[in-house]
């Protein structure tokens, strides 16, 4: 498998055509997977905002005050308001905000970014990342580039471990997971639970070469990777009724 960052992409502006920008700088082939950072997808879709756009509710002020007391430094209630408006559920409200986004992803601060946002205060996640991936893929097809899958990626922390890794927010042209259940291991035992989240694994691999900070590259071409002869599924975000951790968090409160 090869991972090649797409070099020399310009600063992305609202309305820019990511497919065109990538195709002009990379040689895409049938079977490739194109990973695209959610930051540039959000920028093309105009998902930028200023904190002054968020009138502060009583709940946002309460959250900011409590986190400020715990952290010992002032917190902007307008940011808390933005997080609330981008979320469907607030799972942890102190000492940080852990939320479910409107498309089912669970992350800190609804994935709102305060870096790499020239001319604005914050960058919101794409509203519907899978639809964003489908649009990029369709634009590639219009340019005669077919059979290229697209994954919209982000970086996210992990429970029980330090550090961030790449994850998929949306995808098109491939299943989200590879199902090994019913197949045999090397000792002949039937696999009963293994479902491999390949869109997350490809996102994480791509993040190794995209880098972070000022030198980061927001798009990567993955080549010579094959899904194989397996069943696939588009189930990525765990349903509430099957998510024991989320159910436990609903009954937990930070003791300050």
């Amino acid at each position: 498998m090869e991972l090649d960052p797409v070099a020399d992409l310009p600063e992305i502006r609202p309305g820019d055509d990511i497919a065109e920008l990538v195709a002009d700088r990379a040689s895409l082939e049938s079977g490739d997977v194109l990973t695209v950072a959610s930051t540039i997808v959000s920028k093309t879709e105009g998902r930028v905002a200023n904190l002054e756009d968020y009138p502060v509710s009583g709940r946002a002020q309460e959250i900011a005050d409590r986190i400020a007391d715990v952290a010992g430094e002032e917190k902007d209630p307008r940011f808390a308001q933005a997080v609330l408006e981008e979320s469907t559920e607030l799972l942890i409200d102190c000492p940080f905000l852990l939320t479910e986004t409107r498309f089912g992803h669970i992350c800190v601060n609804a994935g709102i970014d305060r870096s790499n946002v020239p001319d604005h205060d914050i960058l919101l996640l794409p509203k519907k990342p899978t639809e964003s991936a489908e649009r990029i893929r369709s634009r590639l097809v219009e340019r005669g580039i077919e059979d290229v899958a697209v994954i919209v990626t982000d970086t996210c922390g992990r429970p029980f471990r330090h550090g961030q890794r790449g994850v998929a927010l949306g995808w098109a042209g491939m299943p989200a997971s590879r199902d090994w259940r019913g197949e045999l291991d090397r000792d002949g035992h039937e696999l009963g639970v293994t479902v491999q989240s390949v869109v997350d694994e490809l996102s994480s691999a791509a993040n190794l070469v995209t880098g972070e900070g000022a030198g980061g590259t927001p798009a990567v071409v993955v080549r010579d990777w094959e899904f194989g002869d397996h069943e696939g599924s588009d189930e990525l975000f765990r349903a509430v009724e099957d998510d024991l951790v989320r159910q436990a968090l609903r009954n937990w409160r930070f003791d300050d």
Side-chain angles (χ1 to χ4, degrees):
M1 184 174 77
E2 299 179 4
L3 298 106
D4 296 313
V6 180
D8 301 322
L9 285 169
E11 178 64 37
I12 303 298
R13 303 292 181 185
D16 281 349
D17 187 335
I18 292 175
E20 179 179 359
L21 292 170
V22 169
D24 287 345
R25 291 164 175 80
S27 177
L28 293 168
E29 299 177 1
S30 176
D32 286 349
V33 179
L34 173 65
T35 69
V36 181
S38 62
T39 51
I40 66 170
V41 175
S42 291
K43 289 177 181 180
T44 66
E45 296 176 356
R47 295 281 287 160
V48 293
N50 292 313
L51 292 175
E52 64 185 20
D53 300 331
Y54 293 92
V56 177
S57 65
R59 179 65 171 131
Q61 187 67 60
E62 176 189 351
I63 289 170
D65 289 345
R66 184 162 184 244
I67 294 178
D69 287 343
V70 171
E73 59 183 35
E74 186 176 352
K75 297 296 181 181
D76 194 329
R78 299 173 299 176
F79 185 79
Q81 184 65 41
V83 172
L84 291 175
E85 293 188 18
E86 289 297 311
S87 306
T88 58
E89 184 175 6
L90 184 60
L91 294 169
I92 296 177
D93 61 7
C94 190
F96 59 89
L97 302 182
L98 183 69
T99 77
E100 180 183 6
T101 69
R102 297 191 178 280
F103 56 89
H105 179 50
I106 294 178
C107 57
V108 173
N109 293 336
I112 297 175
D113 200 344
R114 303 185 78 163
S115 60
N116 300 311
V117 198
D119 306 322
H120 291 84
D121 294 331
I122 56 176
L123 183 68
L124 313 176
L125 290 179
K127 282 187 175 181
K128 298 180 178 180
T130 289
E131 291 185 9
S132 301
E134 290 169 347
R135 282 193 294 271
I136 295 170
R137 188 167 187 263
S138 294
R139 289 288 293 131
L140 290 173
V141 171
E142 290 173 10
R143 294 177 63 90
I145 304 171
E146 300 187 6
D147 196 25
V148 171
V150 176
I151 303 175
V152 175
T153 72
D154 196 15
T155 53
C156 190
R158 304 166 296 168
F160 316 117
R161 292 176 180 264
H162 290 292
Q164 286 73 41
R165 49 75 173 100
V167 296
L169 301 184
W171 58 95
M174 64 178 294
S177 61
R178 183 160 57 183
D179 194 341
W180 293 84
R181 291 173 297 182
E183 301 189 31
L184 303 180
D185 67 12
R186 64 178 59 191
D187 295 318
H189 300 135
E190 183 175 312
L191 300 174
V193 297
T194 303
V195 179
Q196 184 181 14
S197 178
V198 291
V199 289
D200 278 340
E201 291 185 324
L202 291 172
S203 299
S204 189
N207 197 57
L208 289 172
V209 298
T210 59
E212 301 286 350
T217 303
V220 172
V221 177
V222 182
R223 182 161 295 163
D224 294 332
W225 176 83
E226 295 183 2
F227 186 86
D229 185 18
H230 305 275
E231 293 295 322
S233 169
D234 277 331
E235 292 184 0
L236 182 64
F237 304 116
R238 192 181 294 275
V240 176
E241 57 269 22
D242 299 326
D243 194 335
L244 299 181
V245 175
R246 192 190 316 196
Q247 293 173 30
L249 284 175
R250 285 176 167 176
N251 297 314
W252 178 85
R253 181 173 172 82
F254 179 72
D255 185 5
D256 54 358

